[in-house]
Amino acid sequence: MQTTIFSNVSVFILLSIFNTILSLKIQPVFLDYRRGLFRQRRWEDSGAVYQRIFKVKRWKNILPELGDFFKCIFSKKRITSHNRGYLQRYLVESCRAELVHWGIILSSFLFGLWNNVIKTSVMIGIAFVLNLPYIIIQRYNRPRIRSLLAHSRDKQAQKPDTSRFKPGRILIISAENTGHGHKSITQTLQQQISKLDPGVQVTVVDGFSLGKKTLNWAGQLYDPLVVNVPALWGLIYRVGNHAVRPINAFVSKNIREKLVRCLEDVKPDVIVTVHAVFIGSVLNILKKENLDIPVIPFVADLDNISSLWADKRSEYTLCPSVEVQRSMLSLGIAENKLRLVGFPVREEFSGYAPKPQDEARGVSDEGASILLINGSQGSRRILKMSKVLLKHSSAHISIIAGNNSSLIKHLKRKLSPYTGARVQIYGFTKDIKTHMLAADILIIRASPNVLMETVNLCKPIIVVGALKGQEEKNPQFVARHNLGIICTNVKKLPAMVSELLSQNGKKLREIRDSQIQFRNPQAAQEIAEFILESDSKAVD
């Protein structure tokens, strides 16, 4: 009996050590407090439930932790700094600690392989008793660390510390004719940089305009191609993943002359690019010209990543999502060259503060307001969606048809019996936020910018498609993070609307909670700060 107890205790200690060592190998990208196991649940009430039930504050600092004995282990017993970098590291290590203790608990079930039911139950009970308090501590502490981090951000937003930034020059390479996304990201970053440090000169250039006629034509071909021949565009995108060197060589040759002149005029300290074809090509030119200018790409996609984004010569690569960061790691980019920064949205969206759930407007099945956003390219599929919803639901529909004037005329003609009473049709509008906030449900294509703007407004989404190529995985991204629901068959739209509205909008509230957890309104500011810090180092 003594031997059995000794053996079980020895194995338990070994399993604990194994789980701890294994956790130290896990990269921070997989320890995101906003995702999966670590995500805060609504019932936790920002950690307050652990104080109400377990009085965690009385004993949490008494329990020993590894950081007390090993200096190489990050100590979480006390907060020793309010520095943002320290607080972000604390969140990562808190997730790591929670994972270790869950791992030990799960490992305890292995005792059933050589013990009877009673002894196995005893070992599992011991595992729960010894590890559950530490899990409670981590889940209690994380909301408080997040509050400190948010407070740090708010203070910076109210009074930017521009003294640590040196005036410099930043060149942003964007794309004017490949959808609205690249322009929106560029304008957002430019606005934030100027807000943080008005002394910095920001120059924006359309990368395709730097090229000769062939490259210029390729940029202008994007919109008609993705609208009229989406399958061909998807094929071109996939082929591009296997032709990185030829593409970079072709673009380098096309833009070299004008880019060199641009660099001579602007004299940038940092180059930021938001388009994949202007990373390797620009780095090739800098190398040939013996110019030492750091290049920082921002990956303008959420999940499906082109290999063109991955270049080991980039100073850093800014990743808008965990999925992108994982993809970049798999493409050979070192972890210390990656920064997880979130997706930047325009200030009118990032500045929106969602109301508490109990104050949010209720939605009834009668006359729900639905907004269909058509996207910058335009699509006649929107007519089919509108007809299905008008025929099989009592919804009121607003349509933003974009710049497509022929589509607007077509919609007004075909939907004329409903216009005014149940249908409103708009062309291009700068006040899209007002339309979004007025709607109960948004039906959109899985475009990263519109998607993230909607998430920042905490509006439920029905995704009805994605462009072939870079957007293909975005619907799964939405479903994975519970940011909305996916509709692959337009005929099922009315049923999906009913599903969202059923049980007094239960699904709507779940989606809204997930969006609040997921959104990062400070993303644009954090990216701008990072770029400015890089700029400061460059001019030192």
Side-chain angles (χ1 to χ4, degrees), residues 316-331:
Y316 294 99
T317 299
L318 306 180
C319 305
S321 69
V322 173
E323 287 82 353
V324 169
Q325 194 170 19
R326 289 173 184 166
S327 295
M328 298 302 287
L329 286 168
S330 70
L331 290 169

Side-chain angles (χ1 to χ4, degrees), residues 205-391:
V205 63
D206 173 20
F208 289 95
S209 71
L210 295 172
K212 298 175 183 176
K213 287 184 178 179
T214 307
L215 191 64
N216 241 313
W217 174 76
Q220 293 170 7
L221 189 63
Y222 175 83
D223 271 8
L225 194 62
V226 298
V227 172
N228 301 309
V229 204
L232 177 58
W233 166 247
L235 177 62
I236 293 170
Y237 184 89
R238 286 189 289 273
V239 169
N241 280 324
H242 304 285
V244 173
R245 286 190 178 183
I247 291 172
N248 284 336
F250 168 76
V251 176
S252 298
K253 185 177 179 180
N254 260 263
I255 68 173
R256 183 174 180 179
E257 185 179 333
K258 288 187 179 179
L259 178 63
V260 169
R261 284 208 303 267
C262 176
L263 296 176
E264 289 173 350
D265 292 340
V266 177
K267 295 180 176 57
D269 301 301
V270 175
I271 298 173
V272 178
T273 174
V274 299
H275 197 289
V277 300
F278 304 112
I279 301 170
S281 55
V282 169
L283 287 163
N284 287 346
I285 294 168
L286 293 176
K287 182 178 179 181
K288 288 180 181 178
E289 298 294 325
N290 292 316
L291 294 172
D292 185 19
I293 305 172
V295 174
I296 303 177
F298 171 79
V299 182
D301 295 317
L302 290 172
D303 197 342
N304 199 31
I305 301 306
S306 166
S307 299
L308 287 164
W309 287 109
D311 197 305
K312 295 178 181 178
R313 298 171 295 173
S314 297
E315 189 75 8
Y316 294 99
T317 299
L318 306 180
C319 305
S321 69
V322 173
E323 287 82 353
V324 169
Q325 194 170 19
R326 289 173 184 166
S327 295
M328 298 302 287
L329 286 168
S330 70
L331 290 169
I333 305 301
E335 186 182 353
N336 64 347
K337 290 281 189 176
L338 300 173
R339 292 292 182 273
L340 181 62
V341 291
F343 200 97
V345 297
R346 290 174 286 176
E347 196 165 23
E348 59 262 40
F349 295 92
S350 64
Y352 175 75
K355 294 179 180 179
Q357 193 70 268
D358 55 356
E359 294 180 22
R361 182 179 60 174
V363 183
S364 67
D365 199 8
E366 284 296 320
S369 175
I370 298 177
L371 177 64
L372 285 81
I373 300 180
N374 197 44
S376 59
Q377 287 83 26
S379 169
R380 292 182 181 263
R381 187 182 180 214
I382 203 164
L383 175 61
K384 185 177 180 181
M385 290 189 284
S386 301
K387 284 184 172 180
V388 168
L389 287 166
L390 290 167
K391 184 177 180 180

Side-chain angles (χ1 to χ4, degrees), residues 76-94:
K76 298 171 292 301
K77 183 161 282 189
R78 291 176 181 81
I79 298 170
T80 59
S81 171
H82 283 195
N83 175 270
R84 288 180 57 207
Y86 171 85
L87 295 174
Q88 288 169 337
R89 172 79 186 281
Y90 194 110
L91 287 171
V92 170
E93 297 305 325
S94 171

